Amino acid sequence: MNVKGFFNKGFMILAALLLACSFSAGAAHAAKSKLPSLYMGYIFTTHHTPIMVAAIKGKEFQSTGAYLEEMVPKQKFKLMNAEGKPLAVINLIVSKSGSETTTLFAMNRLDLGLASSTAFMSGIDKGTKMKILCPLHVDGMSMVFPEGSKVNGYEDVAAAIKASKTPFKIGYHSPTSAPRIAFEGALYNAGFKVTGNPNDAEADILMVDLKSTSNLIPALLSKQVDCWVGPAPHPVVAEHKHVGHIGLDSRDLPPAGAWTDFPCCVMGASEQIIASQPEVVQAMTDLMTAASKWSNNNKKETAAISAKWIGVPAEAVEKSTIIYTTDPTENWIKGEAKFIAMLNNMHKFKGKMKDADITAAKPVLFDFSFVEKSLKK
């Protein structure tokens, strides 16, 4: 090979190497700049209406700090900041219950999630690395009897339990759901013997796992249970369909006044996402705070949005007494303390939460750093 040919060949090799490096750097930059794709769980309940409102109203929330831009209806959205910069792709995943939501967290299949605080407590107790970021609402839990029942208030409920010749059967949709824990805990504290064992004939109350909210009304119609406890909108839907009667709301449980504005559902996130994507976590917290306020101030439109999304009558949803809020007030913390005490009294905790009081539980359960910033805006 002559000298000219040698240099030509060397130049071609050098050019190829430079081109390869350029493509490699470009690919690395593309990989670095690619939006994180995150998964967020929620349940078909009006307790989780703020995420539905945020998804439907979209850019109307831009001025509040964050908004969702639809990619696939009800399923996939870009999370945008106030300047219109995309922060992440949010994939919405429907869970059957809070128990399923926390199981998905444990399997590393969820990054963010909406579920009852008791479900998060149970998951954290078992070692799942996640934190409760903020409340989502208060109230919205009821005990439902068959249509035509005359039960009205706690005294009537207590009388019905005492009159039953066999353990009084109360259904629930999820083992870690707030309705189950709240009603079971209050009845336990009132002195009733509660069991989950169908062979325990000495118990006053038999708690029956109905596995899903879709089984609540059928269980009542088939007389599988004497009544059930569940989250909105299912109690008002049962009344609207003339198959059920709300005999007791959670706010009327004993002792009187202790259950008003009581906690239920929250937003939580994995510890890994909190550490690696704080900007995304902050934006979602900002958005849930704004959507909660909007939902309270626009009840009729909010009812229409959640009714259409879930597939229930809007007239039923409009009767909801739910108050949406992301503010972990002193009263809300007292409610969480009551949940922790009840769960420990009933020996439900076996791990991190065993024998913990609210003081010991706070650093284990909560990270309010994001919502504190949201509430100041």
Side-chain angles (χ1 to χ4, degrees):
M1 180 184 296
N2 58 30
V3 174
K4 184 178 179 181
F6 175 80
F7 278 110
N8 283 341
K9 186 174 182 180
F11 178 79
M12 290 172 67
I13 293 172
L14 178 61
L17 286 171
L18 288 171
L19 188 61
C21 287
S22 174
F23 275 121
S24 178
H29 175 75
K32 187 177 180 180
S33 64
K34 186 179 180 181
L35 285 178
S37 186
L38 307 181
Y39 292 84
M40 181 173 185
Y42 77 104
I43 303 165
F44 264 27
T45 166
T46 48
H47 288 196
H48 298 178
T49 288
I51 190 63
M52 304 169 202
V53 165
I56 294 299
K57 303 304 288 185
K59 203 170 182 178
E60 290 185 37
F61 283 113
Q62 184 171 7
S63 62
T64 67
Y67 66 97
L68 295 177
E69 184 179 280
E70 184 180 282
M71 297 172 73
V72 179
K74 292 189 179 183
Q75 297 178 32
K76 195 171 186 177
F77 301 82
K78 280 184 185 176
L79 175 64
M80 316 290 284
N81 68 9
E83 289 73 42
K85 172 191 171 185
L87 302 177
V89 172
I90 303 294
N91 300 277
L92 295 183
I93 305 297
V94 180
S95 298
K96 290 180 182 178
S97 65
S99 180
E100 182 173 283
T101 298
T102 54
T103 298
L104 291 172
F105 268 110
M107 297 168 64
N108 295 317
R109 291 175 61 185
L110 284 184
D111 304 293
L112 297 149
L114 309 179
S116 66
S117 61
T118 50
F120 274 94
M121 287 176 186
S122 178
I124 291 169
D125 177 64
K126 294 173 183 174
T128 304
K129 295 183 181 300
M130 56 188 179
K131 296 284 188 186
I132 293 171
L133 301 174
C134 62
L136 199 64
H137 73 97
V138 293
D139 289 343
M141 301 178 282
S142 302
M143 177 178 277
V144 178
F145 290 79
E147 171 75 358
S149 168
K150 302 299 182 184
V151 171
N152 186 23
Y154 174 71
E155 295 303 324
D156 284 357
V157 170
I161 294 170
K162 291 173 183 176
S164 181
K165 295 180 181 179
T166 57
F168 193 78
K169 297 185 290 296
I170 302 177
Y172 60 89
H173 76 283
S174 169
T176 58
S177 69
R180 184 260 174 105
I181 302 302
F183 281 88
E184 179 181 341
L187 292 168
Y188 176 88
N189 288 342
F192 289 105
K193 183 183 177 184
V194 185
T195 185
N197 179 5
N199 297 317
D200 185 356
E202 300 302 313
D204 299 306
I205 298 168
L206 171 63
M207 300 299 296
V208 181
D209 188 354
L210 299 177
K211 307 298 183 182
S212 170
T213 53
S214 63
N215 295 325
L216 293 176
I217 288 177
L220 204 61
L221 292 173
S222 66
K223 299 183 180 180
Q224 180 184 351
V225 295
D226 295 300
C227 68
W228 48 257
V229 293
H234 302 286
V236 289
V237 169
E239 284 200 332
H240 183 77
K241 292 183 175 180
H242 303 290
V243 295
H245 160 72
I246 297 174
L248 181 65
D249 285 321
S250 58
R251 62 172 58 237
D252 298 320
L253 284 166
W259 299 84
T260 301
D261 294 341
F262 206 72
C264 185
C265 288
V266 298
M267 180 168 74
S270 70
E271 291 183 2
Q272 192 274 328
I273 287 300
I274 291 172
S276 66
Q277 300 288 343
E279 188 179 7
V280 172
V281 175
Q282 185 64 62
M284 280 305 304
T285 308
D286 290 348
L287 183 55
M288 288 299 95
T289 297
S292 295
K293 291 177 181 177
W294 189 94
S295 297
N296 289 334
N297 294 331
N298 299 273
K299 290 188 176 181
K300 193 171 185 67
E301 189 175 354
T302 295
I305 288 171
S306 55
K308 185 176 180 181
W309 188 295
I310 298 170
V312 296
E315 315 88 81
V317 179
E318 286 177 21
K319 296 178 182 178
S320 173
T321 58
I322 293 174
I323 300 169
Y324 299 104
T325 179
T326 59
D327 189 358
T329 62
E330 183 180 346
N331 199 44
W332 186 85
I333 292 293
K334 286 180 180 177
E336 293 291 85
K338 186 181 285 288
F339 267 143
I340 292 167
M342 286 192 303
L343 287 162
N344 267 312
N345 287 340
M346 293 186 289
H347 309 291
K348 301 292 185 181
F349 291 140
K350 309 295 182 184
K352 287 186 175 183
M353 297 292 295
K354 183 175 170 58
D355 299 325
D357 61 10
I358 188 64
T359 302
K362 274 184 178 180
V364 178
L365 289 177
F366 306 121
D367 183 347
F368 295 144
S369 62
F370 298 97
V371 77
E372 286 168 358
K373 293 177 183 176
S374 298
L375 294 170
K376 288 178 182 177
K377 293 183 178 180

